[in-house]
Amino acid sequence: MVVEIAGGRALYPYLGNTIYTWSGVIAVVMAALSIGYWAGGRLGDRYADAKHLSYIIFFAGLATMFAPLLTSIGGAVSYGMDIALASVFAPLSLVPASLFYGMVAPYAVRLASRKGKVGANAGNVFALSTVGSITGVLAAGFLLIPNMGLSHVFLFTSFAMLACSLALHLDRKRVFDAIVYVALLILMGTFSFSPVFGDTLYQKNSEYALITVVEKEGVKTLFIDNVASSAERDGEPVFGYVLVSARAFEIAPNPERGLVLGSAAGTQVEMLKREYPQIIVDAVDIDPLTVKIGREYFSFRDDERTNVHIEDARRFVSGREDEYGIVLIDAFKSHAPPPHLLSVEFVRAVKRSMKDDGVVAVNIIARLEDGGYLGHVHDTYASVFGNVYVFPSGGRGEVQNIVIIATDASRPEFEEKYAGEMYGMGHIGRIITDERNPVEVFADYR
């Protein structure tokens, strides 16, 4: 279970944290385990000795060592694939380890049942296996991943398996194996791969993602699971969509309060403060490490005009009414916003938190297609706000950042000024709800 959870987490940069990712990981791992069960049972009938069980455990540990490298390769290759196919292909990196882990239980049952009591011994083995899985799940989620690099989680698990294999061999005085195991462990420590290029200033796993700060040619970029989240040069935003979002400032009539959902390194928070010298900004992000990074490596500053809230964006806006003149939403889970931040229920909550003449600007990654992902998000906002404007940041045929600006205020001068830059959209009648919210299906970002 540690390998499965860590493997799924390692695939986030390539597949995103979506239902596709976990469906693919679970399906592939279960298929590999099934083959392992089949093979382990037949090997148990043929050999049924501790020596061969130790070999199985050894190769399980060895395959776990190389899982991060295989995941990096498989994930990189999957970039050119459709997301559904990629979500099945990339987890194949976990097959070697899963095969050998699957072989352990049936072989252990056969070994324990040499003197009879097959049913009782099988029950004992599978009970212990389930307890081990529960322990692995809790250890991975609450202890290992939050406090270790992912490659170290695999190494830790590998070391545990190699130690178990070694324990079986030590009874046979095979001390030389210990030297081989340690050498392999050290060797594996040299393997790492990341699609992020530049001088790495900081890297650490938070409770939610792998956080990396890279500097290249004077630009500092915050990567969340190897997806670029914020970038600055000399304290000024670099990403074009941030400047597109700033067009919302022309609609907001000098707001007293502002809200940034998904503040990350604080680029948009500081942009709001520069635009409106008197504004008080609530900066909301679920990950405290990104806020810490913003303070240390980017322009984000705590002062009397900034209130930082470490909280889920939807929980934060729920129950708030008539507070904000401007809201900027830039919350992502890999390449797409978390599903619960796209539904009409969330949009209504955002509107309740705003002044009557307030404006909201939300960043998404999509193609310019009325009937696709963009169409769903547009119609969801259009069902709540009277005026919705769509601003692409790139060309028509590419996946790109698209800013949706929505308000109930009438701003004919704004519409006239940007008439040539807005993307005109019709309505397709598909509103995203909490009940029906297949973001992973229609969010085409590959």
Side-chain angles (χ1 to χ4, degrees):
M1 293 304 297
V2 173
V3 171
E4 183 175 357
I5 293 174
R9 182 64 175 268
L11 290 171
Y12 281 8
Y14 311 100
L15 305 176
N17 180 12
T18 72
I19 192 67
Y20 274 153
T21 304
W22 284 109
S23 294
V25 167
I26 293 171
V28 169
V29 169
M30 289 181 67
L33 287 173
S34 297
I35 297 172
Y37 297 150
W38 175 84
R42 278 150 182 77
L43 282 174
D45 286 339
R46 182 171 181 179
Y47 297 106
D49 58 46
K51 179 180 71 173
H52 285 86
L53 178 59
S54 71
Y55 291 160
I56 294 173
I57 296 173
F58 167 77
F59 284 112
L62 190 63
T64 302
M65 274 188 183
F66 289 93
L69 179 62
L70 296 176
T71 298
S72 297
I73 296 172
V77 172
S78 74
Y79 267 136
M81 301 178 181
D82 174 78
I83 183 63
L85 177 61
S87 297
V88 176
F89 174 83
L92 292 177
S93 59
L94 305 177
V95 165
S98 300
L99 278 172
F100 288 108
Y101 283 120
M103 294 171 65
V104 172
Y107 197 100
V109 170
R110 180 67 181 87
L111 193 62
S113 302
R114 287 179 297 182
K115 298 181 180 180
K117 296 184 179 181
V118 176
N121 287 320
N124 291 337
V125 169
F126 284 104
L128 288 173
S129 175
T130 302
V131 171
S133 296
I134 295 170
T135 303
V137 169
L138 295 176
F142 291 90
L143 180 62
L144 300 180
I145 292 176
N147 295 291
M148 293 184 179
L150 282 175
S151 60
H152 293 153
V153 174
F154 284 106
L155 281 175
F156 178 85
T157 307
S158 175
F159 178 79
M161 297 303 295
L162 295 177
C164 290
S165 177
L166 178 61
L168 292 175
H169 273 305
L170 285 178
D171 290 340
R172 307 172 65 87
K173 302 186 184 302
R174 299 281 296 276
V175 179
F176 177 74
D177 288 351
I179 301 174
V180 176
Y181 297 160
V182 172
L184 287 171
L185 194 62
I186 294 173
L187 177 66
M188 182 53 197
T190 66
F191 289 114
S192 62
F193 175 83
S194 173
V196 174
F197 300 100
D199 296 327
T200 300
L201 306 181
Y202 181 91
Q203 187 171 68
K204 184 179 180 180
N205 271 293
S206 72
E207 296 179 17
Y208 300 95
L210 174 65
I211 306 299
T212 307
V213 179
V214 171
E215 185 171 11
K216 184 177 182 181
E217 298 177 354
V219 176
K220 290 182 181 178
T221 305
L222 169 66
F223 289 87
I224 299 178
D225 277 337
N226 294 338
V227 176
S229 173
S230 303
E232 292 182 356
R233 184 195 298 272
D234 298 328
E236 294 295 325
V238 171
F239 292 149
Y241 81 87
V242 176
L243 303 179
V244 174
S245 297
R247 293 174 182 172
F249 300 166
E250 300 180 36
I251 299 178
N254 196 27
E256 297 178 357
R257 296 286 300 278
L259 172 64
V260 178
L261 299 176
S263 59
T267 299
Q268 291 188 301
V269 174
E270 295 304 317
M271 186 174 66
L272 270 177
K273 289 158 63 179
R274 287 193 297 270
E275 177 68 21
Y276 303 109
Q278 304 304 318
I279 197 172
I280 304 297
V281 181
D282 285 327
V284 181
D285 202 285
I286 198 170
D287 194 337
L289 185 56
T290 60
V291 176
K292 177 177 180 290
I293 292 303
R295 293 168 177 147
E296 295 182 4
Y297 294 94
F298 295 86
S299 63
F300 186 46
R301 296 291 178 266
D302 281 334
D303 53 34
E304 67 279 0
R305 299 170 58 207
T306 309
N307 301 314
V308 176
H309 306 269
I310 305 302
E311 192 173 351
D312 177 83
R314 182 156 175 179
R315 287 179 60 88
F316 180 83
V317 297
S318 297
R320 295 180 179 271
E321 296 184 8
D322 195 32
E323 292 189 29
Y324 303 108
I326 186 166
V327 178
L328 304 179
I329 303 176
D330 194 19
F332 276 79
K333 186 177 67 174
S334 189
H335 294 82
H340 67 296
L341 302 187
L342 283 175
S343 70
V344 69
E345 290 86 353
F346 169 71
V347 178
R348 289 169 182 160
V350 170
K351 182 177 180 179
R352 285 194 297 269
S353 74
M354 295 165 52
K355 298 287 187 181
D356 291 341
D357 58 353
V359 59
V360 56
V362 56
N363 172 45
I364 65 172
I365 299 176
R367 298 181 189 273
L368 288 178
E369 297 175 336
D370 286 8
Y373 173 36
L374 174 59
H376 294 297
V377 179
H378 169 272
D379 282 10
T380 301
Y381 273 83
S383 71
V384 177
F385 290 93
N387 301 292
V388 178
Y389 312 113
V390 177
F391 290 95
S393 61
R396 282 188 172 265
E398 61 190 80
V399 176
Q400 61 184 292
N401 290 93
I402 297 175
V403 177
I404 296 176
I405 297 177
T407 181
D408 278 336
S410 177
R411 295 289 186 268
E413 68 284 358
F414 179 84
E415 297 177 13
E416 182 178 354
K417 178 179 179 180
Y418 291 108
E421 300 180 41
M422 291 188 291
Y423 179 69
M425 296 193 61
H427 294 272
I428 60 174
R430 286 288 300 275
I431 297 173
I432 305 170
T433 67
D434 286 339
E435 175 66 22
R436 188 174 183 182
N437 192 349
V439 172
E440 296 85 4
V441 175
F442 54 67
D444 182 9
Y445 55 80
R446 297 174 70 81

